């Protein structure tokens, strides 16, 4: 284990260490080490996204390993590219590092990131480092669109609303970590924690949904299903009804969560939420099979006000407090209308 301080190694020594460890994928003419990266374009249409993660705001090192953090910082960016129907290609990683950070800690971060970079065909081609008061991670990801990108704005009244995978697991995992629950040592809890630390960006699914414009509006779930559906509704000028009973919940979720609060409002699942006309139902099931991901129809777009209703199996509206997840009551009979705009 290397225990020298970053200050002793210097920025150039660190960059050299990082460069040696990184995969160089296709299309990289010149990666880290020159004034700028020289890259080949895979398609005329580029997709560019950036995310900044700040210690104690977006992550907590008490329960997050640096390898998981490296993995997740890239995953959330890939997810944004996937939500447009694109594929990721090149990333720059910029780090603000506390003075007492060690080179081996930086390397652990990149070890986690490289696992996903290799798996998803991402080349890390540059970035910057600086000293900082807390750990700061800034990722910029360049992707390409093999087909016309799918925006948030294409939903129409009567379109179906779908979600991939299961929802609520990542938020459940975070709650278990925050409360230091003993459940994290059991299978159900460990699964939720893993979903929190290492989400799976739905690259292939996003690509297939864009190929024939099967999905007309799409977003990835970072802020929570209702919140992200609200973004789609606002961009499309529609409302939506969500059937609580239809929400896809994992075995872990069913074992450990008390109600559907986290499935509706918990963030960071990085599943795809999309809308499509009812004529596309058979095609969507074929795409699910091909991508190897479950897709569930969870509601329908409606005309009128840009708001979302969540209804139970009897068609009764569920209560969700305005802006506050904490007031959610799974058996509530009071009026719920979550106002979006
Ligand atoms: Mg997004």
């Amino acid at each position: 284990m290397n225990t020298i301080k970053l200050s002793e190694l210097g920025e150039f020594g660190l960059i050299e260490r990082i460069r040696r460890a990184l995969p160089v994928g296709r299309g990289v003419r010149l990666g880290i080490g020159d004034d700028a990266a020289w890259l080949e374009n895979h398609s005329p249409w580029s997709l560019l996204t950036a995310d900044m993660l700040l210690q104690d705001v977006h992550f907590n090192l008490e329960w997050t390993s640096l390898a998981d953090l490296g993995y997740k910082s890239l995953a959330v960016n890939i997810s944004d590219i996937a939500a447009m129907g694109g594929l990721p290609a090149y990333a720059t990683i910029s780090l603000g590092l506390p003075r007492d950070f060690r080179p081996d800690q930086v390397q652990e971060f990149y070890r986690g990131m490289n696992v996903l970079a290799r798996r998803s065909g991402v080349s890390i081609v540059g970035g910057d480092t600086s000293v900082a008061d807390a750990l700061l991670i800034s990722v910029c990801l360049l992707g390409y669109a093999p087909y016309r990108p799918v925006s948030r704005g294409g939903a129409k009244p009567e379109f179906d609303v779908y979600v991939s995978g299961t929802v609520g697991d990542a938020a459940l995992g975070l709650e278990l970590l925050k409360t230091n629950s003993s459940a994290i040592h059991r299978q159900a809890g460990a699964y939720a924690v893993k979903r929190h630390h290492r989400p799976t960006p739905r690259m292939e699914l996003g690509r297939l949904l864009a190929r024939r414009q099967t999905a007309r509006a799409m977003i990835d779930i970072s802020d929570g299903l209702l919140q992200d559906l609200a973004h789609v509704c606002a961009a499309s000028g529609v409302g939506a009804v969500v059937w609580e009973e239809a929400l896809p919940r994992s075995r872990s979720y069913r074992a450990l969560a008390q109600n559907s609060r986290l499935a509706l409002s918990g963030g960071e699942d990085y599943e795809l939420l999309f809308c499509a006309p009812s004529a596309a139902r058979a095609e969507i099931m074929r795409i699910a099979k091909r991508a190897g991901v479950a897709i569930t129809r969870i509601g329908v777009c409606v005309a009128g006000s840009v708001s979302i209703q969540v209804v139970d199996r009897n068609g009764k509206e569920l209560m969700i407090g305005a802006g506050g997840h904490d007031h959610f009551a799974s058996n509530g009979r009071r009026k719920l209308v979550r106002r979006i705009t």
Side-chain angles (χ1 to χ4, degrees):
M1 186 65 65
N2 200 323
T3 54
I4 59 168
K5 294 264 166 60
L6 279 173
S7 49
E8 295 161 37
L9 186 64
E11 187 181 351
F12 299 114
L14 179 66
I15 290 170
E16 180 54 25
R17 282 187 182 210
I18 292 169
R19 190 190 64 76
R20 282 202 302 258
L22 293 175
V24 176
R26 80 177 170 116
V28 180
R29 295 290 186 91
L30 270 178
I32 293 172
D34 216 300
D35 296 307
W38 174 15
L39 310 168
E40 290 169 15
N41 297 324
H42 301 324
S43 138
W45 285 329
S46 294
L47 296 164
L48 183 65
T49 186
D51 250 300
M52 190 162 71
L53 299 170
L54 185 59
Q55 186 177 352
D56 299 331
V57 176
H58 302 101
F59 60 88
N60 192 317
L61 290 177
E62 269 174 53
W63 58 70
T64 309
S65 76
L66 287 161
D68 284 341
L69 198 55
Y71 183 103
K72 190 167 178 174
S73 334
L74 183 59
V76 302
N77 282 277
I78 294 175
S79 180
D80 276 326
I81 298 287
M84 305 291 288
L87 294 168
Y90 309 114
T92 61
I93 316 296
S94 297
L95 301 175
L97 301 169
R99 258 171 226 288
D100 58 353
F101 231 63
R102 299 185 315 270
D104 62 275
Q105 290 178 296
V106 180
Q107 283 172 303
E108 193 201 341
F109 172 87
Y110 276 102
R111 257 198 301 281
M113 181 173 277
N114 286 352
V115 169
L116 184 59
R118 280 177 210 278
R119 196 181 294 160
S120 52
V122 172
S123 299
I124 295 162
V125 296
D128 202 1
T129 55
S130 167
V131 289
D133 292 335
L135 181 58
L136 171 85
I137 302 155
S138 173
V139 176
C140 183
L141 180 63
L142 182 66
Y144 64 100
Y147 317 107
R148 171 172 287 279
V150 183
S151 75
R152 299 174 178 185
K156 293 199 168 73
E158 290 174 38
F159 275 17
D160 295 321
V161 180
Y162 295 89
V163 69
S164 67
T166 57
V167 285
D169 299 321
L172 173 65
L174 179 60
E175 282 204 352
L176 297 176
L177 289 166
K178 274 185 174 170
T179 56
N180 198 18
S181 164
S182 61
I184 60 178
H185 305 297
R186 298 198 301 272
Q187 197 179 4
Y191 176 81
V193 166
K194 187 167 179 234
R195 292 270 295 158
H196 172 71
H197 285 322
R198 298 208 173 200
T200 306
R202 301 299 186 189
M203 275 170 43
E204 178 64 0
L205 179 60
R207 184 186 75 82
L208 291 171
L209 287 168
R211 188 165 62 145
R212 296 199 187 94
Q213 302 292 292
T214 307
R216 303 293 178 81
M218 186 150 63
I219 192 168
D220 63 321
I221 300 182
S222 51
D223 299 335
L225 189 148
L226 287 181
Q227 189 61 57
D228 288 311
L229 178 56
H231 294 316
V232 170
C233 286
S236 300
V238 298
V241 174
V242 171
W243 311 311
E244 185 212 15
E245 207 183 7
L247 296 173
R249 280 164 272 206
S250 68
R251 200 185 297 180
S252 295
Y253 190 95
R254 282 180 272 125
L256 294 171
Q258 315 297 327
N259 53 39
S260 52
R261 177 177 62 92
L262 296 175
L264 286 165
S265 306
E268 300 197 295
D269 284 315
Y270 299 101
E271 293 294 347
L272 294 179
L273 179 74
F274 62 94
C275 304
S278 57
R281 283 178 194 172
E283 170 71 6
I284 285 166
M285 289 309 116
R286 278 194 293 274
I287 287 173
K289 208 168 172 192
R290 189 162 161 197
V293 184
I295 296 180
T296 309
R297 187 152 55 93
I298 58 160
V300 66
C301 298
V302 295
S305 76
V306 182
S307 68
I308 299 171
Q309 279 184 307
V310 184
V311 298
D312 70 10
R313 72 178 77 184
N314 302 314
K316 289 253 198 289
E317 295 173 19
L318 294 187
M319 168 72 194
I320 298 175
H325 317 142
D326 298 342
H327 307 301
F328 181 80
S330 63
N331 59 353
R333 291 290 155 97
R334 283 169 291 165
K335 189 168 187 281
L336 161 143
V337 180
R338 192 184 164 101
R339 291 286 161 205
I340 305 313
T341 52

